Amino acid sequence: MLEQRILIVEDESAIREMLHIPFHKAGFILEEAADISEARVKIFNQMPSLILLDWMLPNISGIEFAHELKRNAQTKEIPIIMLTAKGEETDKVRGLEVGADDYVTKPFSPRELVARIKAVLRRTVTHSHTEKLEIRDLSLDLSEHRVTISDTEVAMGPTEFRLLQFFMSHPEKVYSREQVLNHVWGGNVYIEERTVDVHIRRLRKALATYGYDHLIQTVRGVGYRLSAKE
Ligand code: CA
């Protein structure tokens, strides 16, 4: 059976920490993010099986992020359990309206949470994320975290993988370096724009072995795009 990777997005470290032991016992791999930008990076790195999403987070609320995840074709299948201290009925309704799969009110017992996670995973297992992005013979498998060209695996680093995932999700569209940074590095992070150039070069190099480096095109004065057109 596949390992269940559970991402908790919660700014209170005590809550994240109390889950270490019970999650380990339940056979879950716990991934942690203290805010949304960290969560975006974790999700890009590897699709979680389920997301525990705190309602009250700095900058962007959990509810807004849930909405964002459910609108994105790549992440909409990931089940979400909202965590909240409020426990008000209206919040519950709002959470379920944006597509959260369940709702747990703080304080909760880790045992109760594990049981709820298992129940949600059982319900959603049939449409688990087997999603693949494909352009010609180039294929990016999100659940296996693997890139292949004509069934041969292409080795690349995690940042190059995220870059390629981003471009394959939005083919033919041009993005500025700043936009690429925001999407792939999660924004709110201070990284120089030329970092994008460095990783684009690495990505092209990985693809060049198979003659696919031309897919990643430089648009002078604007930025980059992935294009399958000649
Ligand atoms: Ca919080």
Side-chain angles (χ1 to χ4, degrees), residues 10-12 54-58 106:
E10 164 67 81
D11 54 321
E12 287 162 73
D54 184 29
W55 190 284
M56 302 289 279
L57 287 162
K106 293 181 196 172

